Amino acid sequence: MNIRIRPEISALPAYKAGKPAPIGPSGASWKLSSNENPYAPLPGVLQKVGESLELMNRYPDMANAALTESLSEHLQVAPEQIALGVGSVSVLGHLLGAVCSPGDEVVYAWRSFEAYPISVLSHGATPVQVPLGPGWTHDLEAMRAAVTERTKVVMVCTPNNPTGTVISQAALEAFIDDLPDNVLIMVDEAYAEFVTDDRAANGLALAKKYDNVATLRTFSKAYGLAGMRVGYCVTSPELAAAARTLNPPFSVSAPAQVAAITSLQAKAELLARVAEIVNQRATMIDSLRALGFEVPDSGGNFVWLPAGKRTAEWTDRFAAEGIMVRGYVADDEFDGVRITVGEPEANALAVEVAANLPR
């Protein structure tokens, strides 16, 4: 083939999706590797989605007008401040594309969400990875020191994926106040609904306060619509308009729009499900700590099990018992295993397996 592929594309790191669960010796098979919600869609969603399929010969509303209006009322922000996309990671890419040119720098903590380096590099920008600080959380002082005249974007993931740690509102506000106002701060809070710490950062409040802040949220996690792929950002009208411009036409399907709107209407049921996942998370963390593991507090629907050089071995041990977890192996101090909070039976088995891990 004589077509030349951009070398930057060939060099992109591959995104590693959570693998399906094997069948363990007891017949158990639990996928705890992708931070998926273990519950079925919220009440009314399946019916409304089914009805929408009758019009699959028609294009969806390209402007996402009804969903934008529902989100505007739900979040108490102007419709002009919202931009939607196929998952929050696509909106992140649209924002990067709106502000980054080749050679511009994007600062973010590492380890964090695996899609960050892929998105940054694919837009021709230069990733600047800042190691996590003590407790597997963002080292904001080091991140501030990494900002240069070439920095166009700083990405902050809270709760951080995969470690689950959160940044306080006070710390993040002080950080933003200390950054140049021509730098876009993206607050990725895909797991915001699972946060229980009153001191934790609220990206929505920050987006309302600062013109250079965009908060990213998703329907994939708490709302259980991972297969529908609906995410959005809230930011200044100018940045939101730029993100909408880069969104491919008709990208958010009609069933996905209907599913998201219907999910927003089931607030009581959502809160009940989130509370159950949070309770299961607390039980898992307490149980792992009782076994002697150093597990940080988590604000997501998952827990982080620091494993170091045993990460691959521990991941294989879980798989051998029918539990697929997500191992992160980079041969550094931040290697570990991320375990999604799933069904109670799955969580209990995960703790049982952990009790027998070699240390």
Side-chain angles (χ1 to χ4, degrees):
M1 186 179 75
N2 295 324
I3 298 174
R4 179 179 177 271
I5 305 297
R6 284 170 50 204
E8 296 87 352
I9 300 303
S10 301
L12 287 178
Y15 183 85
K16 298 178 182 179
K19 298 178 181 179
I23 299 177
S26 66
S29 181
W30 301 105
K31 185 186 178 189
L32 303 182
S33 57
S34 297
N35 292 350
E36 295 160 328
N37 193 313
Y39 298 109
L42 290 161
V45 171
L46 292 178
Q47 178 183 343
K48 292 294 185 181
V49 167
E51 293 171 1
S52 74
L53 294 178
E54 297 178 4
L55 296 174
M56 68 169 60
N57 57 310
R58 303 295 184 186
Y59 286 110
D61 173 18
M62 193 174 84
N64 307 294
L67 177 52
T68 298
E69 185 61 33
S70 294
L71 279 170
S72 173
E73 296 176 4
H74 178 71
L75 302 172
Q76 293 298 293
V77 297
E80 295 78 17
Q81 292 181 264
I82 299 170
L84 284 131
V86 185
S88 59
V89 68
S90 71
V91 183
L92 180 148
H94 302 155
L95 288 167
L96 288 175
V99 302
C100 288
S101 299
D104 289 338
E105 294 179 345
V106 179
V107 175
Y108 54 89
W110 197 253
R111 156 172 307 111
S112 194
F113 185 31
E114 273 193 303
Y116 292 165
I118 299 171
S119 295
V120 173
L121 289 167
S122 66
H123 285 87
T126 300
V128 179
Q129 298 180 343
V130 179
L132 294 173
W136 301 280
T137 191
H138 285 52
D139 186 341
L140 294 179
E141 183 176 347
M143 290 178 68
R144 176 63 184 92
V147 173
T148 70
E149 292 182 353
R150 295 173 58 190
T151 303
K152 287 296 181 68
V153 179
V154 174
M155 297 194 293
V156 176
C157 187
T158 180
N160 186 46
N161 179 14
T163 64
T165 51
V166 300
I167 303 170
S168 73
Q169 182 79 353
L172 193 48
E173 283 200 14
F175 177 70
I176 295 170
D177 287 337
D178 200 33
L179 290 175
D181 60 10
N182 64 343
V183 172
L184 168 61
I185 298 96
M186 281 199 264
V187 182
D188 185 351
E189 48 179 10
Y191 303 92
E193 291 85 0
F194 300 106
V195 175
T196 56
D197 187 343
D198 293 337
R199 301 166 298 174
N202 183 313
L204 180 60
L206 294 170
K208 292 178 179 180
K209 180 177 180 180
Y210 298 93
D211 288 339
N212 62 329
V213 170
T215 186
L216 298 161
R217 291 190 175 184
T218 182
F219 284 90
S220 295
K221 306 304 180 182
Y223 288 94
L225 298 181
M228 284 294 182
R229 311 303 303 126
V230 188
Y232 61 94
C233 74
V234 175
T235 186
S236 67
E238 296 79 10
L239 284 168
R244 291 193 297 270
T245 298
L246 291 174
N247 191 29
F250 310 110
S251 61
V252 183
S253 71
Q257 293 182 43
V258 167
I261 292 170
T262 308
S263 295
L264 287 173
Q265 296 168 352
K267 183 176 180 180
E269 293 85 352
L270 172 73
L271 293 176
R273 292 184 179 187
V274 167
E276 176 59 25
I277 291 172
V278 167
N279 288 336
Q280 288 287 324
R281 180 185 72 195
T283 298
M284 186 182 292
I285 290 175
D286 290 345
S287 299
L288 291 171
R289 286 174 176 171
L291 292 171
F293 293 101
E294 188 180 356
V295 180
D297 290 334
S298 175
N301 66 334
F302 56 90
V303 301
W304 177 248
L305 189 62
K309 296 183 181 300
R310 291 191 177 274
T311 297
E313 180 184 11
W314 286 5
T315 302
D316 290 342
R317 288 293 186 103
F318 280 106
E321 297 299 327
I323 302 177
M324 184 54 67
V325 296
R326 181 71 169 82
Y328 291 79
V329 181
D331 295 323
D332 62 30
E333 61 182 309
F334 301 113
D335 285 359
V337 174
R338 190 191 67 194
I339 309 173
T340 302
V341 178
E343 294 83 348
E345 300 89 343
N347 304 333
L349 181 57
V351 172
E352 182 180 327
V353 174
N356 296 304
L357 291 173
R359 300 188 222 179

